[in-house]
Amino acid sequence: MDKFSDHTFALFDQEFADHASHMCMIKDHARCTGFFDQIKKHCKGKRVIDFGAGTGILGIYAAMCGAKEVWFIENQTNLHHTIHELCKINNVQNYSIHHDVHQAPSHYFDVVLSETLGDIGIERNFTRIFSDLITRNPGCIAIPDHIKLFHSTLYLEEIEKENRYIENFPVNLKTDMLYPLPGLRSTRLDDMPVDNATEIFSVNLKDYPQVPDLRIIFDVPKPKGHNFMVFHWKAYCEGIEFVNNDPGRSSNNFNHWCQLGFHIPKDNKLGIKLDIQQGPFVLCANPHKDFIENPKEYDKKYYVPSPDQFVQDSGMVKWT
């Protein structure tokens, strides 16, 4: 049986053991407010699980809003002391802390909540395991219970500055290994409303997809005057959107969990693969039709989880 403590955040353990990474999320005011509004709505008098609890702020707030009992599930055991300390100073008493999701109760909790949202909505296999927890009690409220992933395009002056910098660089960098390779990057965009959001994937966490991954091929959008493509998400509970990382969010938010973005590539099509079991988000330029029609053969031939790579023989660029 898969264990949360064995598998989740395999590539992020050191990052999320650091309190600074949690302060980054805590300082995202809109993000926290969205979760807190749902907690106020659903947790009074309920048994609550805070899955992937981190510093425990969601479960603690649930207790402050009248939750009957709170279970904190956090595999970074160095954070357990922080959860205890925050519970103490916030007068939270009826709680327990565990490192393994299988130590959580079966079939007798009312609400399960999780701060599972990353750059592209799905944070490695964390969200899949969260969904597995939800299925233990299909009647529970899940915060979130649905995630939608979008792409949009817009104009960024920063891209033009970058182009001018490369043009004037003393060493010629115009190779596909470096430039104009779009380069998937973490991006903080705010105060930049988008009007061309296109849905890519919709993932119902109460009915999690059983296929190995989700993948599509689409034409590269090239609106006049736009030079940047950004991926962003929306999260829902009981049909209500309660938080997103849309580029139009106000910069008054103080901090902002990043989107992913890159220069709009010169390629005609993009292939997107979202591995819903392990989480890597993969982009490739001008993918072969087997990307969709024969994915196992395609992945066997081309896909190796690794840093950004240019596949010289195929003319294909992969971002992972």
Side-chain angles (χ1 to χ4, degrees):
M1 181 178 291
D2 284 351
K3 289 188 176 181
F4 170 58
S5 54
D6 289 342
H7 298 285
T8 299
F9 282 147
L11 299 180
F12 292 103
D13 279 349
Q14 297 306 311
E15 177 183 352
F16 285 100
D18 183 352
H19 286 75
S21 64
H22 295 279
M23 282 305 300
C24 181
M25 291 182 278
I26 289 170
K27 290 188 289 186
D28 190 332
H29 177 74
R31 184 185 182 90
C32 292
T33 299
F35 274 97
F36 289 168
D37 286 347
Q38 292 301 308
I39 288 169
K40 284 188 289 187
K41 183 177 180 180
H42 295 295
C43 291
K44 185 176 181 179
K46 303 297 178 62
R47 295 182 174 92
V48 176
I49 297 178
D50 183 353
F51 174 68
T55 56
I57 62 166
L58 298 187
I60 289 169
Y61 192 73
M64 294 168 64
C65 291
K68 182 186 301 184
E69 189 175 357
V70 178
W71 289 277
F72 297 96
I73 310 296
E74 174 51 56
N75 72 329
Q76 299 298 319
T77 55
N78 70 299
L79 294 174
H80 290 190
H81 178 71
T82 301
I83 297 173
H84 280 302
E85 285 294 301
L86 289 178
C87 284
K88 180 179 179 180
I89 64 178
N90 285 282
N91 299 313
V92 174
Q93 297 180 351
N94 196 10
Y95 72 94
S96 59
I97 305 175
H98 308 279
H99 76 278
D100 189 333
V101 68
H102 294 95
Q103 296 170 330
S106 296
H107 307 302
Y108 64 98
F109 53 90
D110 305 298
V111 179
V112 56
L113 52 92
S114 186
E115 216 289 322
T116 59
L117 304 171
D119 295 336
I120 56 165
I122 307 294
E123 193 70 272
R124 299 289 163 177
N125 65 342
F126 192 51
T127 308
R128 178 188 65 81
I129 300 175
F130 176 49
S131 179
D132 290 344
L133 177 58
I134 294 170
T135 62
R136 294 192 195 180
N137 186 351
C140 72
I141 299 293
I143 310 171
D145 59 22
H146 205 113
I147 298 171
K148 293 183 180 181
L149 181 64
F150 301 83
H151 70 73
S152 300
T153 63
L154 41 76
Y155 172 79
L156 285 183
E157 174 60 26
E158 184 68 21
I159 300 302
E160 302 309 315
K161 292 180 181 178
E162 183 176 299
N163 288 336
R164 292 192 292 270
Y165 178 79
I166 297 298
E167 287 289 338
N168 294 315
F169 201 75
V171 176
N172 189 342
L173 299 177
K174 293 181 180 178
T175 167
D176 284 331
M177 292 292 290
L178 289 176
Y179 194 84
L181 175 68
L184 193 63
R185 66 183 75 170
S186 296
T187 305
R188 174 178 170 163
L189 299 178
D190 45 33
D191 290 329
M192 299 191 69
V194 293
D195 60 6
N196 56 10
T198 301
E199 184 176 314
I200 306 172
F201 299 123
S202 180
V203 181
N204 182 352
L205 302 182
K206 286 196 169 185
D207 185 18
Y208 206 66
Q210 299 303 306
V211 295
D213 58 58
L214 303 172
R215 59 181 72 199
I216 62 169
I217 297 174
F218 65 91
D219 293 332
V220 176
K222 297 180 180 179
K224 185 177 180 180
H226 287 192
N227 59 11
F228 198 74
M229 177 181 289
V230 60
F231 295 92
H232 50 100
W233 47 256
K234 295 180 180 181
Y236 300 81
C237 178
E238 300 288 292
I240 303 298
E241 176 191 334
F242 68 91
V243 66
N244 66 64
N245 68 339
D246 186 289
R249 290 207 320 184
S250 171
S251 57
N252 291 331
N253 188 43
F254 180 51
N255 193 22
H256 187 26
W257 201 250
C258 293
Q259 310 96 357
L260 291 180
F262 54 89
H263 302 186
I264 295 178
K266 59 186 177 182
D267 307 286
N268 295 322
K269 293 183 181 295
L270 286 179
I272 299 181
K273 168 186 172 179
L274 180 61
D275 186 326
I276 57 175
Q277 301 304 317
Q278 299 299 325
F281 182 78
V282 180
L283 292 171
C284 57
N286 297 325
H288 190 276
K289 65 177 182 178
D290 282 348
F291 181 84
I292 294 290
E293 297 176 4
N294 193 6
K296 289 185 178 180
E297 184 62 28
Y298 180 90
D299 289 350
K300 180 180 178 182
K301 188 173 182 180
Y302 293 115
Y303 174 57
V304 178
S306 65
D308 301 348
Q309 37 185 308
F310 176 71
V311 184
Q312 195 72 48
D313 293 339
S314 69
M316 179 185 71
V317 177
K318 299 189 296 183
W319 304 281
T320 58

